[in-house]
Amino acid sequence: MKENASTFDAEALRACCARLLEAAGLPSDRANVVADVFVEGELLGYRTHGLKRMSSNLEWLQSGETSRDGEIRIVNAGNAVEHWDAGFLPGPWVVTSAVERASDMARSHGTGTIAISRSQHIACLAAYLMKATAKGQLVIIMASTPSESTVAPHGGTDRVFSCNPLAAGIPTSGDPILIDTSASMSAMGPLYRAHEAGKQMDVAGIVLPDGTASADPASYFDEDGAILPAGGLEQGYKGYALAILIEALSAALTGYGRATPASAKDGEANSVFVQVIDPAHFGGAEGFSRQMSWLGEACRASNVASGKDAVRMPGDRALAVRRQQMREGVSVAPAILAELRRWGALLGVEAI
């Protein structure tokens, strides 16, 4: 836990966040869902996309940037596919609804796919995954931000893409595999933190206009640099390909994305792709679990170089952090706690 951080029961934090969101105008049922996603992100250790997102979401509710009420518009629908226009409703509520709906379609048809335009920022992708894996289903979530250009194409120096996160939850006979990554060398959160702290990034993840790579976050903010796609200067074609795929599935499928003039004013709103697959309709749930469990065991049992940590599967660390915080309390940084209490005072409700 971070020095000087306070610890709180997860349920108390959920209740706190729900009270604040409801006081800002969000209906109670939706406030509870959004609060659950933020606290789940915090429990899993995704600090930049957990409770830290509360302040911006409260601001958006008050300013009208986030729609307080209204319904998702189903633009097109088939037996196992739907296209939603979320109308800037709260992203955590929208994606939770999408995972639940896609899960129902997958139970009936083997797979369920939903492409979503104009969802307000969806926060931590990993926070949604266990809603499907707990049912023995595989889930894939991808997102892009049509108004945001921060990442260069491989070989270029202009900012074209957003950071484009990708997450997947894969059930096994034990803990699920939880993948949460992006097509870029860095998300914006770590870049902001390093810049504010005057620190270098761990790797040279920024390309300058002259084509050289830099680990200095000031290269992005002050020197017109762009974030490199995953793989960096030499092998960025890998992240570049992923970025294109994520744009195709999250934005192009809906017909609403970077080529839509109106999207330039959408702020942090996301285009989202959600797909749930039910192994029972393919080779069977037992066979799927057996294969993925074997793979996890083989990876964890891999020999490592002297002095190196054991191999982990994606999600192992996050689930260990979650268990610890459920047992000992959720660690909340002083700045985040101060923000929650500031909003409590502004909205006239008890924070925590």
Side-chain angles (χ1 to χ4, degrees):
M1 293 181 184
K2 294 180 179 179
E3 188 177 359
N4 298 324
S6 302
T7 57
F8 298 91
D9 177 75
E11 289 303 322
L13 284 172
R14 287 190 184 97
C16 163
C17 292
R19 284 195 300 272
L20 292 172
L21 291 161
E22 190 172 357
L26 198 59
S28 177
D29 58 337
R30 298 181 184 185
N32 285 324
V33 172
V34 175
D36 183 68
V37 170
F38 289 149
V39 174
E40 186 65 22
E42 199 77 19
L43 280 167
L44 291 167
Y46 291 90
R47 305 294 186 188
T48 59
H49 286 65
L51 296 176
K52 187 177 177 65
R53 299 299 310 188
M54 273 292 295
S55 187
S56 57
N57 276 262
L58 292 167
E59 289 173 3
W60 295 337
L61 284 167
Q62 293 212 309
S63 69
E65 194 169 342
T66 293
S67 301
R68 297 183 181 186
D69 47 32
E71 299 299 327
I72 294 164
R73 184 168 71 92
I74 300 177
V75 182
N76 285 309
N79 287 336
V81 296
E82 291 183 357
H83 165 203
W84 292 2
D85 179 349
F88 304 106
L89 287 161
W93 177 75
V94 171
V95 175
T96 297
S97 301
V99 171
E100 291 172 352
R101 174 62 182 139
S103 174
D104 289 343
M105 289 191 286
R107 187 178 299 109
S108 298
H109 303 288
T111 184
T113 303
I114 301 177
I116 309 166
S117 58
R118 303 197 311 156
S119 169
Q120 192 48 276
H121 192 278
I122 67 172
C124 175
L125 273 64
Y128 306 100
L129 301 179
M130 287 191 286
K131 298 179 186 301
T133 61
K135 302 174 185 178
Q137 296 174 323
L138 185 154
V139 58
I140 301 166
I141 304 174
M142 303 180 190
S144 57
T145 309
S147 71
E148 182 180 273
S149 298
T150 57
V151 181
H154 180 59
T157 61
D158 291 337
R159 301 177 184 182
V160 176
F161 301 99
S162 45
C163 294
N164 290 11
L166 158 69
I170 304 170
T172 74
S173 60
D175 283 341
I177 299 166
L178 304 178
I179 298 167
D180 189 335
T181 186
S182 76
S184 59
M185 287 291 284
S186 175
M188 287 304 296
L191 197 61
Y192 277 118
R193 285 205 312 273
H195 189 238
E196 291 168 359
K199 295 181 178 179
Q200 298 284 296
M201 299 169 64
D202 292 336
V203 295
I206 299 166
V207 61
L208 291 163
D210 66 3
T212 59
S214 171
D216 186 352
S219 299
Y220 177 87
F221 294 103
D222 304 330
E223 301 177 42
D224 296 323
I227 300 173
L228 282 162
L233 205 58
E234 298 300 324
Q235 297 194 7
Y237 58 86
K238 298 178 180 180
Y240 178 36
L242 277 177
I244 293 169
L245 175 63
I246 292 167
E247 294 275 340
L249 294 174
S250 66
L253 274 183
T254 71
Y256 185 94
R258 299 180 191 282
T260 308
S263 72
K265 299 180 181 179
D266 287 355
E268 292 192 53
N270 295 137
S271 295
V272 190
F273 174 84
V274 174
Q275 185 172 67
V276 176
I277 300 170
D278 194 328
H281 288 257
F282 295 85
E286 183 180 347
F288 182 90
S289 178
R290 182 173 65 254
Q291 295 295 331
M292 294 311 302
S293 298
W294 184 96
L295 187 64
E297 290 169 6
C299 290
R300 293 186 184 98
S302 173
N303 290 317
V304 298
S306 177
K308 298 296 183 179
D309 292 335
V311 172
R312 297 192 303 253
M313 290 297 286
D316 282 357
R317 180 182 178 278
L319 289 169
V321 169
R322 188 184 192 280
R323 291 187 183 104
Q324 180 182 0
Q325 293 199 109
M326 287 296 292
R327 184 174 61 250
E328 301 176 6
V330 182
S331 176
V332 181
I336 303 300
L337 183 58
E339 272 295 284
L340 293 175
R341 288 173 172 167
R342 181 179 73 84
W343 275 104
L346 286 172
L347 296 170
V349 297
E350 181 184 359
I352 196 162

